[in-house]
Amino acid sequence: MTSAKQTISPVRVVKKNGIRVEVYEDAEAVSAAAAAMIAGRITASSKFNLGLATGSTPIKTYDELVRIHEAGELTFSHVTSFNLDEYVNLPPTHDQSYRYFMMKHLLDRVDIPLYNTFVLNGQAVDVDAECSAFEGLIKARGGVDLWLLGIGGNGHIGFNEPGSAVDSRTRVVTLDDCTRADNARFFATLDDVPTHAVSAGVQTITDSHAVLLLATGAGKANAVAAAVAGDCSVDCPASLLQGHDDTTFMVDVQAAKML
Ligand code: PGA
């Protein structure tokens, strides 16, 4: 593993439709480069608002951020975190809830003040009020400085499934059948996968000052190619990042193979 100060070089860089794509040898290198970028930006700032994602892709990046923190090279004491999404009707103690995921993989392992970590409450009695409060909080804190994203096989970002409007904001969404099937591996049966989630909208994401999207593995190759080289269209929500002026994709060779 690398130190926070070491530079991990991409094997190739592609710039298309306003998106900078850094291609790395493998998932390890993607995670090291992503963690180095995030750590660098957190360290360069006296107050930092970090957007976070769940899923299997960012886990190694979180491990690397923890390692850099434990090496004494990174503090999260001035960081506020906002998570992209949460399942509706799953308690935060459920091992598939995204609050549980974030505590396990990052928040409980670094020195971020827990009162500055925000994951939508999918059990809120008034879920619409919960969504507007989340938007208000981001605004009140001065906006998100960097939003870390994964990408779904169908091009979704957060739980913004194909068809999500470019100006969508945090709201309740219905999960696509393919997203539920993708996530069924984490639940006992497909029927146990929630049908709804609360998700930051496309506009909530594109309002952030910078976006860093990670993709690894051949299963993401079509979605990455559609996002970067396809039309800017709601059919592939990640392609809506083409209109954003500071978006970087860090992907491995497999995920870049259709580019
Ligand atoms: P994954 O999910 O990292 O588990 O592939 C990414 C996503 O659906 O956004």
Side-chain angles (χ1 to χ4, degrees):
M1 274 288 171
T2 49
S3 140
K5 296 187 181 81
Q6 258 176 286
T7 313
I8 303 97
S9 301
V11 292
R12 145 168 108 95
V13 176
V14 179
K15 286 185 194 153
K16 214 170 169 78
N17 292 322
I19 297 180
R20 173 186 169 85
V21 186
E22 297 181 3
V23 183
Y24 292 88
E25 196 57 55
D26 52 23
E28 289 268 294
V30 166
S31 309
M37 185 211 249
I38 296 165
R41 293 205 182 192
I42 289 176
T43 304
S45 175
S46 57
K47 170 185 159 294
F48 199 82
N49 295 336
L50 179 62
L52 296 171
T54 53
S56 44
T57 312
I59 290 177
K60 284 199 185 90
T61 299
Y62 296 143
D63 287 343
E64 180 62 4
L65 285 169
V66 170
R67 193 197 61 76
I68 299 168
H69 166 69
E70 286 175 350
E73 296 169 15
L74 173 64
T75 178
F76 287 77
S77 58
H78 58 297
V79 174
T80 295
S81 71
F82 295 97
N83 260 84
L84 277 175
D85 44 21
E86 179 60 287
Y87 287 117
V88 164
N89 279 336
L90 222 53
T93 46
H94 190 289
D95 66 3
Q96 290 310 320
S97 83
Y98 289 165
R99 164 58 80 175
Y100 185 97
F101 174 103
M102 284 318 308
M103 297 307 288
K104 176 175 167 190
H105 292 289
L106 183 70
L107 303 176
D108 240 357
R109 303 165 71 196
V110 296
D111 61 343
I112 189 167
L114 280 187
Y115 53 81
N116 281 337
T117 67
F118 298 102
V119 182
L120 283 152
N121 175 8
Q123 290 192 301
V125 175
D126 184 344
V127 113
D128 292 336
E130 171 73 10
C131 293
S132 359
F134 186 76
E135 290 279 343
L137 205 50
I138 293 175
K139 202 166 167 208
R141 299 283 177 127
V144 171
D145 294 298
L146 173 70
W147 212 317
L148 179 67
L149 303 178
I151 183 171
N154 63 358
H156 74 198
I157 45 174
F159 274 135
N160 293 290
E161 303 286 26
S164 297
V166 67
D167 60 355
S168 54
R169 295 231 164 243
T170 307
R171 68 212 184 286
V172 178
V173 293
T174 305
L175 301 182
D176 267 10
D177 289 344
C178 66
T179 296
R180 293 186 66 240
D182 277 352
N183 291 358
R185 67 192 194 274
F186 301 118
F187 292 83
T189 69
L190 180 59
D191 285 345
D192 293 324
V193 183
T195 52
H196 291 81
V198 270
S199 178
V202 173
Q203 178 95 60
T204 321
I205 295 168
T206 54
D207 273 355
S208 76
H209 301 303
V211 172
L212 173 58
L213 182 148
L214 309 182
T216 56
K220 298 294 171 68
N222 280 323
V224 167
V228 176
D231 293 341
C232 180
S233 156
V234 297
D235 294 341
C236 175
S239 73
L240 302 174
L241 296 168
Q242 290 177 13
H244 188 269
D245 62 9
D246 187 358
T247 289
T248 304
F249 283 23
M250 290 185 179
V251 308
D252 68 358
V253 170
Q254 288 297 313
K257 70 179 184 185
M258 312 284 281
L259 270 184

